[in-house]
Amino acid sequence: MKAQSREVQVFVRIRPTASFDTDLIECLPDGQTVNIHHWRDSRQLHERRRSQLSSQSFRVEGVLQDVSQEEVYTRVCRRVVLGALDGYNGTVMCFGQTGSGKTYTMTGSTESYKQRGIIPRALQEVLQEVEKRTEYAFSVHLSYLEIYNETLVDLLSSLRGTPQPSPRGMVVMEELGRGVFIRGLSLHPVHSEEEALNLLFEGEMNRIIGSHALNKNSSRSHCIFTVHIESRSRTLSDAKFVTSKLNLVDLAGSERLGKTGSEGQMLKEAVYINKSLSFLEQAILALADRRRDHIPFRQTKLTHALKDSLGGNCNTVLVANIYGEAAQIEETLSTLRFASRMKCVQTQPAVNEHVDPAVQIKKLQKEVDLLKEELSMYNTLVDKQRITYEPLSEAQTAEIKSQVQMYLQGSLQEINITSVRQVQAVFAQFKLSVQEQEQRVKAQLCQTSSLVERSKYQNAHTATVKRDIRGRTEDAGSFGVFAESSRNAHHPGSTRAKTKKGRDKQSKRQGTESPALRKNVESASKSTLNSVQTPEGELESEEPDTESQDRQEPFPPDTPPTKAEAFEDFKVGQGSEINCILKENKTVLLERRSLLRQLTEEVNAVKREIDCTAATIQQHKMRGGQYLAVGDETVQQEPDDTLLMQLRELKSLYRQRYEVLRDIKAEVSYCQHLVDQCRVRLLSEFENWYEKSFLVPDEELDIMMEKTHTHEEDNQRPSYEPLADSSSSESFYNARDRTLKRRSSRMPPSTPVQRNTSAGQRLPPIQHVT
Ligand code: ADP
Ligand code: MG
């Protein structure tokens, strides 16, 4: 029996009868074909002519008419039984109308040995084969399940020694590797034919027998007698073993309800039977249709229990039991139709091979022991007797770790290979070191990239501001001409709006608005013309501040350059870019300051003119209280209209210029802020660079000192320390961390703009005009 696809084998067995209707049932001499000739509708038999007669042909594996029980077994079942002994699942199933001979075929007569059916013959064959096949150790178990009105019944539960049935009843279960099984169904080991037959007869006694119109002893239930076979090779000490199930199924009658005249309990039984058989038919149809991937097995207990006994890897045989009489022709036809559907089901018989894990482990353990023995023998021969092949102890692993660290430091020239386990442990240590190194480099890269990002952003932003300021400087050239038209007077407003928007955007990007900038913008946007003090002053020295110069770090033996020298180098080297930006920003700041000074003077000049004109008008008013006599009339002298007009124009001019001044003032503050930021960055980067380049941190010095004294303590330190490369990177990170800490603690609480404002020179105050 090869694991190749094959059809379900179908046999037709005709119950012997004296009134066999040869007109309706025609068995062809090939022994494989049954032709059924029948009237489509029997009620029309007398009304219509013979042209209504219809014929159907059924070709099966064999038509069993007047054949002995022995021949039936040999042709139907023997192949399946032998397959089961080889590890293939097998199912032999009888289907047909009540009384058609299903039970006779399956169980046969319990009184006549000659007329015994398939089950006792199969049991005999199985147990005889078990005796014969001495190279295998077989275990055979039997179970007998009845499905009555959708209830599972254990027909062997009455036997002594059978475990009490589970209170939850029996359940059809499925498990991976085990397939379908009935939880709670008792399995009985058998060692002889007699033992097996005892069980069969016990089960038969327990079958529920109901009286029936057609057959007083007809079974009203489906019965599944299963032989469970397991075999292990006695010759090969193999963990593999094979199992199989031989299902011998006696289905309940497939008759129609109306025909049997069933009532009450009988009717109920018939409903269940028909239901389960129609679901069986559906499952068969689905199995026969290769495009279907879902088979409705779970709809009834019968189909669920037979799930892996119909198609799949099973050798399946169906016996369709039919009557030979004309009266049963409709049922016969329906049975044969079912049989022809069953014939379309393909199965792929395959041996159920399993591996016993416990035996497998034992086998492997034995193999390992053997190999170890061989290896130790080999080591003795090549004089390598100290080697063991057990897993490394903690102490050995620690030793390997220390060796790897020393190797990486350079204090160990090479690591001697002693065993495969040791080589693996060495690699593991290297991997660990690389991972730790990676972590540190990643952290460094993150830090650096955030600095670079900030620097890029700063550069881009500075360039924007410079462009903006330059644009405004050009505009400011026209502001200088105060007599310009209102177009010019309006222009700065729009520029200011744009600049402010830009600054707001910038503030948003930075997360918070600079307090200094906010303060300046706010003060500049006050609507009243308050006296304004504009920051002006010299830029602070570009040299590091005294605080940073005074801070002395312990120098390594080769004395580093002084900070002043180093700063000069830094400005042209690594810090050149930020230094350049700082210079450019300072230049712009100076330009803006000078413009601001000029504008302040102009505004104040206008203010003085306003004051002057106002005073003249006041004088006119004072004099206006006196009445001058012109001739006979007394004329009150009005203040000079031209003076008033002039005063209005001056005030308007003042406001225009003041607005421009306010913008420039805001720009100066903003520029100052940028210059300060640049300076702080230049200094902090310089500090960072200086420490990184020239200073050895205190902790590292301590460690170096300690290292020379106590070698043991090396092992307690992080494993990366002894690496020649990583000690320098560790210093780098220590230094950077400390610098960052120092820098944050050194940062002035107020912004540089504020600091400069207080320190810088002031512009002359702008006088207030109401
Ligand atoms: P079913 O199980 O299909 O309802 P049975 O197997 O109980 O029908 O058969 C009904 C009766 O017919 C039984 O008495 C049985 O002995 C008899 N019978 C059926 N088939 C045969 C046969 N091939 N040879 C002799 N007797 C048969
Ligand atoms: Mg029966």
Side-chain angles (χ1 to χ4, degrees):
M1 260 176 244
K2 288 167 192 165
Q4 61 186 27
S5 191
R6 58 182 304 161
E7 288 175 353
V8 167
Q9 283 196 327
V10 173
F11 291 86
V12 172
R13 190 178 196 192
I14 305 166
R15 186 189 165 190
T17 173
S19 49
F20 185 80
D21 194 326
T22 45
D23 284 349
L24 296 183
I25 304 170
E26 184 190 2
C27 298
L28 296 190
D30 66 358
Q32 289 191 298
T33 314
V34 186
N35 290 331
I36 305 292
H37 311 286
H38 68 111
W39 297 99
R40 276 190 187 276
D41 188 345
S42 57
R43 282 174 303 172
Q44 296 174 347
L45 186 65
H46 305 296
E47 297 158 21
R48 298 199 179 183
R49 297 185 178 272
R50 260 183 98 77
S51 61
Q52 295 291 319
L53 195 69
S54 152
S55 293
Q56 253 185 292
S57 186
F58 298 93
R59 191 176 164 78
V60 292
E61 188 68 25
V63 178
L64 310 169
Q65 190 177 18
D66 297 326
V67 293
S68 67
Q69 290 282 68
E70 186 177 359
E71 190 181 339
V72 169
Y73 173 75
T74 311
R75 292 181 64 185
V76 170
C77 194
R78 189 145 196 264
R79 187 183 58 88
V80 183
V81 168
L82 295 177
L85 286 160
D86 290 333
Y88 294 90
N89 287 342
T91 299
V92 178
M93 190 162 65
C94 285
F95 177 85
Q97 194 182 352
T98 300
S100 61
K102 298 182 297 293
T103 307
Y104 182 78
T105 303
M106 203 48 79
T107 317
S109 165
T110 47
E111 278 112 43
S112 161
Y113 180 69
K114 208 180 165 194
Q115 287 181 41
R116 70 196 191 283
I118 283 174
I119 300 176
R121 286 169 197 273
L123 289 173
Q124 187 179 43
E125 179 122 47
V126 166
L127 290 153
Q128 280 176 1
E129 280 297 312
V130 165
E131 289 288 310
K132 273 192 230 164
R133 302 187 185 192
T134 49
E135 69 277 26
Y136 289 96
F138 281 95
S139 75
V140 180
H141 287 78
L142 303 180
S143 66
Y144 207 172
L145 174 75
E146 181 183 50
I147 304 171
Y148 175 72
N149 292 359
E150 280 299 277
T151 308
L152 302 174
V153 180
D154 184 354
L155 289 175
L156 300 180
S157 64
S158 58
L159 285 168
R160 231 185 292 153
T162 307
Q164 285 296 308
S166 155
R168 287 176 293 169
M170 287 191 288
V171 187
V172 184
M173 304 274 288
E174 282 179 70
E175 257 177 33
L176 207 71
R178 192 176 168 187
V180 174
F181 65 98
I182 316 294
R183 196 187 65 201
L185 179 67
S186 62
L187 286 180
H188 300 265
V190 287
H191 307 93
S192 67
E193 186 188 340
E194 195 181 324
E195 262 187 307
L197 290 173
N198 277 341
L199 292 171
L200 171 67
F201 296 148
E202 174 73 21
E204 284 299 315
M205 292 287 287
N206 291 329
R207 283 179 76 165
I208 295 170
I209 308 297
S211 62
H212 195 272
L214 285 177
N215 179 2
K216 287 201 169 186
N217 288 318
S218 176
S219 164
R220 309 301 303 138
S221 57
H222 310 292
C223 289
I224 305 173
F225 186 89
T226 308
V227 185
H228 306 259
I229 304 170
E230 187 183 303
S231 72
R232 291 165 193 267
S233 170
R234 288 188 205 270
T235 47
L236 307 166
S237 58
D238 214 342
K240 284 182 193 162
F241 64 99
V242 293
T243 59
S244 62
K245 276 191 298 186
L246 173 64
N247 290 303
L248 304 166
V249 187
D250 182 1
L251 294 169
S254 61
E255 72 283 351
R256 283 182 189 163
L257 287 178
K259 199 157 193 178
T260 58
S262 302
E263 286 174 350
Q265 178 68 9
M266 292 291 107
L267 179 68
K268 190 182 166 194
E269 286 173 350
V271 168
Y272 276 118
I273 292 163
N274 278 16
K275 190 179 153 199
S276 60
L277 288 178
S278 88
F279 281 128
L280 176 66
E281 200 160 351
Q282 281 181 28
I284 299 295
L285 276 171
L287 279 169
D289 185 352
R290 283 180 218 170
R291 290 163 305 176
R292 292 275 294 270
D293 49 1
H294 174 69
I295 316 291
F297 282 119
R298 287 166 173 261
Q299 285 169 318
T300 63
K301 298 269 168 45
L302 175 71
T303 47
H304 199 187
L306 291 177
K307 185 179 173 183
D308 58 0
S309 306
L310 295 171
N313 68 348
C314 194
N315 283 307
T316 309
V317 179
L318 177 78
V319 179
N321 293 92
I322 57 167
Y323 280 93
E325 288 89 351
Q328 312 300 333
I329 198 68
E330 289 292 327
E331 296 301 334
T332 298
L333 199 56
S334 133
T335 302
L336 291 173
R337 283 193 188 120
F338 177 84
S340 66
R341 282 182 202 121
M342 191 72 184
K343 203 170 157 267
C344 298
V345 175
Q346 295 280 328
T347 66
Q348 287 84 35
V351 172
N352 300 298
E353 203 170 65
H354 310 270
V355 176
D356 188 329
V359 177
Q360 182 79 346
I361 288 168
K362 266 188 198 160
K363 199 180 144 196
L364 292 174
Q365 187 62 51
K366 212 170 163 184
E367 213 170 296
V368 168
D369 290 345
L370 202 75
L371 288 171
K372 274 185 186 172
E373 273 175 34
E374 273 198 32
L375 206 55
S376 75
M377 203 159 26
Y378 167 81
N379 286 331
T380 315
L381 289 174
V382 296
D383 204 23
K384 280 187 176 178
Q385 288 169 20
R386 281 191 315 119
I387 301 165
T388 60
Y389 298 96
E390 301 305 320
L392 296 176
S393 65
E394 273 183 33
Q396 283 172 316
T397 313
E399 168 67 20
I400 288 169
K401 186 178 176 179
S402 137
Q403 277 184 348
V404 169
Q405 303 298 356
M406 281 155 69
Y407 179 76
L408 289 169
Q409 276 179 314
S411 54
L412 185 69
Q413 282 306 306
E414 58 185 38
I415 299 170
N416 288 328
I417 292 171
T418 55
S419 71
V420 174
R421 280 189 202 277
Q422 177 248 4
V423 171
Q424 283 173 338
V426 167
F427 274 113
Q429 286 302 323
F430 276 121
K431 191 176 179 184
L432 208 69
S433 284
V434 169
Q435 281 169 348
E436 283 167 356
Q437 189 85 340
E438 253 176 21
Q439 289 296 320
R440 289 195 299 273
V441 170
K442 263 184 205 162
Q444 183 190 7
L445 282 176
C446 279
Q447 189 71 24
T448 315
S449 71
S450 72
L451 277 173
V452 168
E453 281 303 309
R454 254 185 285 154
S455 161
K456 270 190 205 160
Y457 172 69
Q458 194 90 23
N459 292 348
H461 175 66
T462 311
T464 314
V465 170
K466 279 193 289 189
R467 262 200 313 278
D468 195 18
I469 288 170
R470 275 191 195 123
R472 289 221 254 157
T473 315
E474 282 156 21
D475 288 342
S478 59
F479 298 163
V481 187
F482 282 88
E484 278 283 331
S485 67
S486 60
R487 180 181 58 82
N488 276 345
H490 175 72
H491 194 73
S494 62
T495 311
R496 179 187 62 206
K498 195 169 74 188
T499 313
K500 187 177 185 299
K501 205 171 149 193
R503 282 197 299 260
D504 286 350
K505 218 161 148 190
Q506 152 79 0
S507 300
K508 270 177 201 151
R509 269 194 244 140
Q510 284 179 331
T512 52
E513 198 179 348
S514 154
L517 176 63
R518 194 166 52 233
K519 192 179 163 197
N520 281 286
V521 169
E522 277 167 6
S523 69
S525 61
K526 277 179 189 163
S527 58
T528 48
L529 297 172
N530 291 326
S531 184
V532 180
Q533 296 199 332
T534 313
E536 188 199 40
E538 295 148 17
L539 286 175
E540 286 180 12
S541 161
E542 288 177 10
E543 303 301 317
D545 57 23
T546 46
E547 187 196 352
S548 64
Q549 278 190 356
D550 291 344
R551 196 168 15 86
Q552 291 299 313
E553 298 289 348
F555 289 137
D558 50 339
T559 318
T562 64
K563 277 204 171 175
E565 286 164 5
F567 190 59
E568 287 309 315
D569 289 346
F570 180 74
K571 282 195 291 185
V572 293
Q574 234 177 336
S576 63
E577 198 184 357
I578 180 74
N579 189 45
C580 202
I581 294 166
L582 175 65
K583 275 184 181 167
E584 282 181 36
N585 285 353
K586 277 190 214 165
T587 315
V588 176
L589 178 64
L590 284 174
E591 278 172 22
R592 306 315 294 148
R593 278 188 178 161
S594 113
L595 182 64
L596 181 63
R597 199 179 298 115
Q598 187 190 330
L599 277 170
T600 311
E601 277 165 11
E602 282 175 9
V603 167
N604 285 343
V606 175
K607 175 69 173 67
R608 280 194 295 276
E609 264 193 75
I610 289 170
D611 290 347
C612 195
T613 313
T616 315
I617 291 168
Q618 193 60 34
Q619 279 175 6
H620 276 247
K621 275 189 181 168
M622 294 285 283
R623 266 188 275 139
Q626 300 162 7
Y627 291 89
L628 299 174
V630 179
D632 295 334
E633 292 176 10
T634 306
V635 179
Q636 188 177 1
Q637 190 163 357
E638 293 296 321
D640 193 346
D641 288 346
T642 14
L643 276 176
L644 285 173
M645 186 97 81
Q646 195 183 340
L647 184 64
R648 268 198 296 276
E649 279 172 4
L650 279 170
K651 280 188 175 179
S652 157
L653 185 63
Y654 179 91
R655 284 191 190 98
Q656 282 173 14
R657 291 192 179 182
Y658 186 84
E659 279 195 13
V660 176
L661 176 76
R662 201 173 53 185
D663 281 349
I664 298 297
K665 195 181 160 195
E667 280 174 13
V668 166
S669 299
Y670 188 62
C671 276
Q672 181 67 59
H673 174 70
L674 284 182
V675 164
D676 286 327
Q677 267 190 346
C678 281
R679 184 182 296 113
V680 168
R681 237 189 81 204
L682 180 70
L683 288 176
S684 68
E685 282 182 19
F686 164 72
E687 289 291 339
N688 193 8
W689 171 82
Y690 186 81
E691 286 198 33
K692 208 166 61 184
S693 310
F694 305 112
L695 300 186
V696 179
D698 304 349
E699 294 90 323
E700 201 166 299
L701 271 181
D702 293 346
I703 288 162
M704 284 164 71
M705 295 295 284
E706 278 172 31
K707 245 172 81 177
T708 54
H709 293 304
T710 51
H711 184 70
E712 272 179 16
E713 281 179 31
D714 273 0
N715 292 334
Q716 293 163 11
R717 296 172 58 208
S719 58
Y720 55 77
E721 285 186 349
L723 294 173
D725 286 341
S726 62
S727 63
S728 63
S729 69
E730 192 195 349
S731 309
F732 167 79
Y733 289 108
N734 286 340
R736 191 202 58 193
D737 291 346
R738 277 212 305 278
T739 308
L740 287 174
K741 258 189 237 161
R742 265 201 302 277
R743 202 169 67 180
S744 59
S745 64
R746 216 171 47 215
M747 281 298 275
S750 57
T751 64
V753 174
Q754 285 167 320
R755 198 177 57 199
N756 284 348
T757 307
S758 58
Q761 289 182 9
R762 292 170 197 284
L763 284 175
I766 298 173
Q767 292 164 30
H768 181 73
V769 172
T770 49

